[in-house]
Amino acid sequence: MGVKAEVISSLMKHDIGDDFSYLSRFPKASVLIPLFLRQGEVHVLLTVRSTELKHNPGEVCFPGGKADPHDRDETDTALREALEEISLPPDGVEVVCKLCPLFNQRGLLVTPVVAFISDSFQARPNPDEVSEVFSVPVEFFMKETNHSAYLLPDTASYVHSFIYTDPVTGKIHQIWGLTASLLILLAVLTFERKPEFEVGFDLENPFANFRQNLQHRLSKL
């Protein structure tokens, strides 16, 4: 079995399917987590939000955004947003799975959609939304080097942060918060092993904490 097939097999074990369809009354968003192979190594494509945006300007994130009334489902939202933001054509995307949704700071229920894209894809960022596109080896998010974290008061949740220097441009990026947490989860699910640091969730049942946090948030609504 090749690297791509192994990764797909590992990730599909955690596909949520329609498990959270009962949450349709909440405002939704989706992000696309685009993976590709480069010299046999799994990479993930990331974007830098435009500094002109109202929310989280200049931060590293995944392509994605709010659901549109015309979107068929969470995957449709992720693909539409990726097309709008970085000109990624939907027919060049091989969707692998949907991961457990979670609430962001703005109260949107965000569903991560994991997919493979071609390593030859050349992003054309929409300058109104994206200032830069770059990629990182997924293995990077398993290592203690360039990683830091702090525990949120009165919780068992960590806020993670990584500092990544792009070898192509030399630019330094901080990857933190929700994006960093999703990348750690992605790495754990991809490689099926423990990172070099504490993650703040049960590695044997990685979605248990996410589901618990989701239910905790729902109980307050």
Side-chain angles (χ1 to χ4, degrees):
M1 185 182 293
V3 174
K4 180 179 176 181
E6 289 180 359
V7 172
I8 290 175
S9 177
S10 296
L11 291 171
M12 285 186 66
K13 298 174 188 176
H14 305 281
D15 182 28
I16 63 164
D18 296 321
D19 288 358
F20 293 91
S21 58
Y22 68 94
L23 298 174
S24 59
R25 68 185 185 278
F26 297 102
K28 290 186 175 183
S30 293
V31 295
L32 186 71
I33 303 181
L35 305 179
F36 64 91
L37 293 182
R38 177 177 291 163
Q39 297 178 339
E41 189 175 35
V42 187
H43 286 245
V44 58
L45 200 70
L46 296 168
T47 66
V48 179
R49 292 173 61 83
S50 167
T51 56
E52 302 301 316
L53 291 173
K54 179 180 179 181
H55 300 290
N56 309 109
E59 291 193 2
V60 174
C61 64
F62 300 106
K66 290 182 180 179
D68 185 277
H70 300 292
D71 294 338
R72 294 185 296 272
D73 53 23
E74 295 88 354
T75 298
D76 207 33
T77 300
L79 295 178
R80 175 182 54 76
E81 288 285 340
L83 176 62
E84 293 174 3
E85 292 183 10
I86 60 173
S87 300
L88 177 62
D91 59 2
V93 178
E94 181 183 351
V95 174
V96 176
C97 66
K98 292 187 295 184
L99 301 181
C100 184
L102 62 165
F103 282 102
N104 69 5
Q105 291 181 332
R106 295 164 54 200
L108 292 172
L109 187 65
V110 181
T111 298
V113 179
V114 186
F116 266 94
I117 62 173
S118 170
D119 64 339
S120 63
F121 168 68
Q122 296 293 318
R124 297 194 305 276
N126 175 350
D128 292 333
E129 299 188 58
V130 175
S131 64
E132 189 177 347
V133 179
F134 66 103
S135 66
V136 185
V138 175
E139 179 80 20
F140 179 83
F141 302 102
M142 298 289 284
K143 299 182 181 299
E144 179 62 44
T145 307
N146 298 315
H147 167 264
S148 61
Y150 64 86
L151 196 61
L152 289 173
D154 303 319
T155 74
S157 299
Y158 286 87
V159 176
H160 295 273
S161 175
F162 295 89
I163 301 298
Y164 179 72
T165 302
D166 189 336
V168 177
T169 64
K171 292 185 178 180
I172 298 173
H173 299 284
Q174 182 185 23
I175 306 167
W176 74 290
L178 180 62
T179 300
S181 294
L182 285 175
L183 285 164
I184 293 168
L185 176 65
L186 172 72
V188 168
L189 300 183
T190 297
F191 300 112
E192 299 184 317
R193 57 184 169 85
K194 185 181 185 300
E196 296 175 356
F197 48 83
E198 291 298 324
V199 295
F201 59 83
D202 182 1
L203 292 167
E204 297 299 321
N205 187 8
F207 287 133
N209 289 60
F210 287 85
R211 290 174 184 267
Q212 183 178 358
N213 292 336
L214 179 61
Q215 293 303 322
H216 177 70
R217 182 67 177 265
L218 292 174
S219 68
K220 292 186 173 183
L221 296 178

